[in-house]
PDB file of all heavy atoms in Angstrom:
ATOM      1  N   SER A1335     -69.153 108.145 202.171  1.00 97.00           N
ATOM      2  CA  SER A1335     -68.120 107.119 202.360  1.00 97.00           C
ATOM      3  C   SER A1335     -66.766 107.534 201.794  1.00 97.00           C
ATOM      4  O   SER A1335     -65.780 106.814 201.972  1.00 97.00           O
ATOM      5  CB  SER A1335     -68.569 105.800 201.703  1.00 97.00           C
ATOM      6  OG  SER A1335     -69.767 105.333 202.281  1.00 97.00           O
ATOM      7  N   ASN A1336     -66.732 108.642 201.102  1.00 97.00           N
ATOM      8  CA  ASN A1336     -65.492 109.087 200.468  1.00 97.00           C
ATOM      9  C   ASN A1336     -64.915 110.265 201.248  1.00 97.00           C
ATOM     10  O   ASN A1336     -65.524 111.336 201.323  1.00 97.00           O
ATOM     11  CB  ASN A1336     -65.776 109.498 199.018  1.00 97.00           C
ATOM     12  CG  ASN A1336     -64.508 109.748 198.225  1.00 97.00           C
ATOM     13  OD1 ASN A1336     -63.498 110.203 198.773  1.00 97.00           O
ATOM     14  ND2 ASN A1336     -64.555 109.466 196.940  1.00 97.00           N
ATOM     15  N   PRO A1337     -63.727 110.111 201.836  1.00 97.00           N
ATOM     16  CA  PRO A1337     -63.147 111.185 202.668  1.00 97.00           C
ATOM     17  C   PRO A1337     -62.781 112.436 201.875  1.00 97.00           C
ATOM     18  O   PRO A1337     -62.490 113.471 202.489  1.00 97.00           O
ATOM     19  CB  PRO A1337     -61.904 110.531 203.271  1.00 97.00           C
ATOM     20  CG  PRO A1337     -61.566 109.405 202.342  1.00 97.00           C
ATOM     21  CD  PRO A1337     -62.862 108.921 201.782  1.00 97.00           C
ATOM     22  N   ASP A1338     -62.809 112.360 200.551  1.00 98.00           N
ATOM     23  CA  ASP A1338     -62.516 113.546 199.747  1.00 98.00           C
ATOM     24  C   ASP A1338     -63.671 114.548 199.741  1.00 98.00           C
ATOM     25  O   ASP A1338     -63.497 115.691 199.323  1.00 98.00           O
ATOM     26  CB  ASP A1338     -62.194 113.156 198.302  1.00 98.00           C
ATOM     27  CG  ASP A1338     -60.870 112.426 198.196  1.00 98.00           C
ATOM     28  OD1 ASP A1338     -59.957 112.725 198.995  1.00 98.00           O
ATOM     29  OD2 ASP A1338     -60.749 111.537 197.328  1.00 98.00           O
ATOM     30  N   PHE A1339     -64.848 114.104 200.200  1.00 98.00           N
ATOM     31  CA  PHE A1339     -66.009 114.999 200.294  1.00 98.00           C
ATOM     32  C   PHE A1339     -66.207 115.446 201.728  1.00 98.00           C
ATOM     33  O   PHE A1339     -65.984 114.676 202.671  1.00 98.00           O
ATOM     34  CB  PHE A1339     -67.275 114.297 199.802  1.00 98.00           C
ATOM     35  CG  PHE A1339     -67.277 113.982 198.331  1.00 98.00           C
ATOM     36  CD1 PHE A1339     -67.054 112.685 197.891  1.00 98.00           C
ATOM     37  CD2 PHE A1339     -67.491 114.975 197.387  1.00 98.00           C
ATOM     38  CE1 PHE A1339     -67.048 112.373 196.538  1.00 98.00           C
ATOM     39  CE2 PHE A1339     -67.492 114.691 196.038  1.00 98.00           C
ATOM     40  CZ  PHE A1339     -67.268 113.393 195.603  1.00 98.00           C
ATOM     41  N   LYS A1340     -66.651 116.687 201.895  1.00 98.00           N
ATOM     42  CA  LYS A1340     -67.047 117.196 203.206  1.00 98.00           C
ATOM     43  C   LYS A1340     -68.567 117.213 203.224  1.00 98.00           C
ATOM     44  O   LYS A1340     -69.196 118.024 202.539  1.00 98.00           O
ATOM     45  CB  LYS A1340     -66.482 118.598 203.431  1.00 98.00           C
ATOM     46  CG  LYS A1340     -66.657 119.089 204.854  1.00 98.00           C
ATOM     47  CD  LYS A1340     -65.854 120.355 205.087  1.00 98.00           C
ATOM     48  CE  LYS A1340     -65.890 120.752 206.556  1.00 98.00           C
ATOM     49  NZ  LYS A1340     -65.062 121.952 206.801  1.00 98.00           N
ATOM     50  N   CYS A1341     -69.156 116.302 203.986  1.00 98.00           N
ATOM     51  CA  CYS A1341     -70.613 116.120 203.948  1.00 98.00           C
ATOM     52  C   CYS A1341     -71.266 116.649 205.217  1.00 98.00           C
ATOM     53  O   CYS A1341     -70.725 116.515 206.320  1.00 98.00           O
ATOM     54  CB  CYS A1341     -70.945 114.647 203.778  1.00 98.00           C
ATOM     55  SG  CYS A1341     -70.394 113.948 202.205  1.00 98.00           S
ATOM     56  N   TYR A1342     -72.438 117.233 205.036  1.00 98.00           N
ATOM     57  CA  TYR A1342     -73.255 117.730 206.137  1.00 98.00           C
ATOM     58  C   TYR A1342     -74.636 117.096 206.030  1.00 98.00           C
ATOM     59  O   TYR A1342     -75.184 116.996 204.927  1.00 98.00           O
ATOM     60  CB  TYR A1342     -73.407 119.251 206.065  1.00 98.00           C
ATOM     61  CG  TYR A1342     -72.106 120.015 206.010  1.00 98.00           C
ATOM     62  CD1 TYR A1342     -71.494 120.265 204.774  1.00 98.00           C
ATOM     63  CD2 TYR A1342     -71.504 120.514 207.159  1.00 98.00           C
ATOM     64  CE1 TYR A1342     -70.299 120.981 204.709  1.00 98.00           C
ATOM     65  CE2 TYR A1342     -70.325 121.234 207.103  1.00 98.00           C
ATOM     66  CZ  TYR A1342     -69.728 121.459 205.879  1.00 98.00           C
ATOM     67  OH  TYR A1342     -68.555 122.172 205.812  1.00 98.00           O
ATOM     68  N   SER A1343     -75.196 116.693 207.154  1.00 98.00           N
ATOM     69  CA  SER A1343     -76.544 116.130 207.169  1.00 98.00           C
ATOM     70  C   SER A1343     -77.485 117.087 207.880  1.00 98.00           C
ATOM     71  O   SER A1343     -77.322 117.363 209.068  1.00 98.00           O
ATOM     72  CB  SER A1343     -76.536 114.779 207.910  1.00 98.00           C
ATOM     73  OG  SER A1343     -77.854 114.270 208.027  1.00 98.00           O
ATOM     74  N   ILE A1344     -78.467 117.614 207.135  1.00 97.00           N
ATOM     75  CA  ILE A1344     -79.436 118.553 207.695  1.00 97.00           C
ATOM     76  C   ILE A1344     -80.835 118.109 207.273  1.00 97.00           C
ATOM     77  O   ILE A1344     -81.136 117.984 206.083  1.00 97.00           O
ATOM     78  CB  ILE A1344     -79.143 119.989 207.238  1.00 97.00           C
ATOM     79  CG1 ILE A1344     -77.779 120.425 207.788  1.00 97.00           C
ATOM     80  CG2 ILE A1344     -80.240 120.954 207.687  1.00 97.00           C
ATOM     81  CD1 ILE A1344     -77.340 121.794 207.401  1.00 97.00           C
ATOM     82  N   ALA A1345     -81.683 117.862 208.283  1.00 95.00           N
ATOM     83  CA  ALA A1345     -82.954 117.190 208.035  1.00 95.00           C
ATOM     84  C   ALA A1345     -83.964 118.035 207.271  1.00 95.00           C
ATOM     85  O   ALA A1345     -84.648 117.532 206.375  1.00 95.00           O
ATOM     86  CB  ALA A1345     -83.555 116.738 209.368  1.00 95.00           C
ATOM     87  N   ASP A1346     -84.098 119.300 207.619  1.00 97.00           N
ATOM     88  CA  ASP A1346     -85.088 120.172 206.996  1.00 97.00           C
ATOM     89  C   ASP A1346     -84.537 120.633 205.648  1.00 97.00           C
ATOM     90  O   ASP A1346     -83.518 121.329 205.586  1.00 97.00           O
ATOM     91  CB  ASP A1346     -85.375 121.357 207.916  1.00 97.00           C
ATOM     92  CG  ASP A1346     -86.479 122.268 207.389  1.00 97.00           C
ATOM     93  OD1 ASP A1346     -86.422 122.649 206.199  1.00 97.00           O
ATOM     94  OD2 ASP A1346     -87.375 122.635 208.164  1.00 97.00           O
ATOM     95  N   GLU A1347     -85.220 120.271 204.565  1.00 97.00           N
ATOM     96  CA  GLU A1347     -84.686 120.571 203.232  1.00 97.00           C
ATOM     97  C   GLU A1347     -84.497 122.062 202.984  1.00 97.00           C
ATOM     98  O   GLU A1347     -83.508 122.482 202.388  1.00 97.00           O
ATOM     99  CB  GLU A1347     -85.588 119.980 202.140  1.00 97.00           C
ATOM    100  CG  GLU A1347     -85.407 118.505 201.906  1.00 97.00           C
ATOM    101  CD  GLU A1347     -86.281 117.643 202.810  1.00 97.00           C
ATOM    102  OE1 GLU A1347     -87.061 118.229 203.612  1.00 97.00           O
ATOM    103  OE2 GLU A1347     -86.173 116.413 202.725  1.00 97.00           O
ATOM    104  N   ARG A1348     -85.457 122.881 203.424  1.00 97.00           N
ATOM    105  CA  ARG A1348     -85.318 124.315 203.177  1.00 97.00           C
ATOM    106  C   ARG A1348     -84.100 124.865 203.922  1.00 97.00           C
ATOM    107  O   ARG A1348     -83.330 125.653 203.368  1.00 97.00           O
ATOM    108  CB  ARG A1348     -86.577 125.081 203.602  1.00 97.00           C
ATOM    109  CG  ARG A1348     -86.550 126.540 203.156  1.00 97.00           C
ATOM    110  CD  ARG A1348     -87.836 127.259 203.496  1.00 97.00           C
ATOM    111  NE  ARG A1348     -87.979 127.452 204.935  1.00 97.00           N
ATOM    112  CZ  ARG A1348     -89.075 127.874 205.530  1.00 97.00           C
ATOM    113  NH1 ARG A1348     -90.154 128.117 204.803  1.00 97.00           N
ATOM    114  NH2 ARG A1348     -89.117 128.047 206.821  1.00 97.00           N
ATOM    115  N   CYS A1349     -83.912 124.422 205.165  1.00 98.00           N
ATOM    116  CA  CYS A1349     -82.744 124.856 205.929  1.00 98.00           C
ATOM    117  C   CYS A1349     -81.459 124.336 205.297  1.00 98.00           C
ATOM    118  O   CYS A1349     -80.449 125.032 205.237  1.00 98.00           O
ATOM    119  CB  CYS A1349     -82.849 124.377 207.375  1.00 98.00           C
ATOM    120  SG  CYS A1349     -84.227 125.079 208.288  1.00 98.00           S
ATOM    121  N   ALA A1350     -81.499 123.092 204.813  1.00 98.00           N
ATOM    122  CA  ALA A1350     -80.306 122.479 204.225  1.00 98.00           C
ATOM    123  C   ALA A1350     -79.800 123.267 203.026  1.00 98.00           C
ATOM    124  O   ALA A1350     -78.598 123.537 202.894  1.00 98.00           O
ATOM    125  CB  ALA A1350     -80.621 121.041 203.817  1.00 98.00           C
ATOM    126  N   VAL A1351     -80.707 123.664 202.145  1.00 98.00           N
ATOM    127  CA  VAL A1351     -80.258 124.330 200.927  1.00 98.00           C
ATOM    128  C   VAL A1351     -79.832 125.766 201.201  1.00 98.00           C
ATOM    129  O   VAL A1351     -78.890 126.283 200.572  1.00 98.00           O
ATOM    130  CB  VAL A1351     -81.344 124.232 199.828  1.00 98.00           C
ATOM    131  CG1 VAL A1351     -82.566 125.052 200.162  1.00 98.00           C
ATOM    132  CG2 VAL A1351     -80.780 124.616 198.473  1.00 98.00           C
ATOM    133  N   PHE A1352     -80.472 126.457 202.148  1.00 98.00           N
ATOM    134  CA  PHE A1352     -79.980 127.788 202.509  1.00 98.00           C
ATOM    135  C   PHE A1352     -78.630 127.702 203.225  1.00 98.00           C
ATOM    136  O   PHE A1352     -77.781 128.581 203.064  1.00 98.00           O
ATOM    137  CB  PHE A1352     -80.999 128.528 203.367  1.00 98.00           C
ATOM    138  CG  PHE A1352     -82.042 129.268 202.574  1.00 98.00           C
ATOM    139  CD1 PHE A1352     -83.348 128.811 202.527  1.00 98.00           C
ATOM    140  CD2 PHE A1352     -81.719 130.412 201.860  1.00 98.00           C
ATOM    141  CE1 PHE A1352     -84.318 129.488 201.803  1.00 98.00           C
ATOM    142  CE2 PHE A1352     -82.680 131.095 201.116  1.00 98.00           C
ATOM    143  CZ  PHE A1352     -83.985 130.630 201.082  1.00 98.00           C
ATOM    144  N   PHE A1353     -78.441 126.662 204.025  1.00 98.00           N
ATOM    145  CA  PHE A1353     -77.136 126.411 204.647  1.00 98.00           C
ATOM    146  C   PHE A1353     -76.074 126.236 203.560  1.00 98.00           C
ATOM    147  O   PHE A1353     -74.982 126.821 203.639  1.00 98.00           O
ATOM    148  CB  PHE A1353     -77.259 125.162 205.520  1.00 98.00           C
ATOM    149  CG  PHE A1353     -75.971 124.677 206.136  1.00 98.00           C
ATOM    150  CD1 PHE A1353     -75.486 125.250 207.303  1.00 98.00           C
ATOM    151  CD2 PHE A1353     -75.271 123.625 205.567  1.00 98.00           C
ATOM    152  CE1 PHE A1353     -74.308 124.780 207.884  1.00 98.00           C
ATOM    153  CE2 PHE A1353     -74.094 123.151 206.136  1.00 98.00           C
ATOM    154  CZ  PHE A1353     -73.607 123.726 207.304  1.00 98.00           C
ATOM    155  N   ALA A1354     -76.396 125.438 202.537  1.00 98.00           N
ATOM    156  CA  ALA A1354     -75.476 125.245 201.416  1.00 98.00           C
ATOM    157  C   ALA A1354     -75.203 126.563 200.694  1.00 98.00           C
ATOM    158  O   ALA A1354     -74.071 126.853 200.293  1.00 98.00           O
ATOM    159  CB  ALA A1354     -76.056 124.221 200.441  1.00 98.00           C
TER     160      ALA A1354
END
Side-chain angles (χ1 to χ4, degrees):
S1335 300
N1336 190 327
D1338 291 328
F1339 293 104
K1340 190 169 187 177
C1341 295
Y1342 305 88
S1343 175
I1344 296 179
D1346 184 311
E1347 281 88 2
R1348 189 176 69 190
C1349 296
V1351 69
F1352 274 108
F1353 175 82

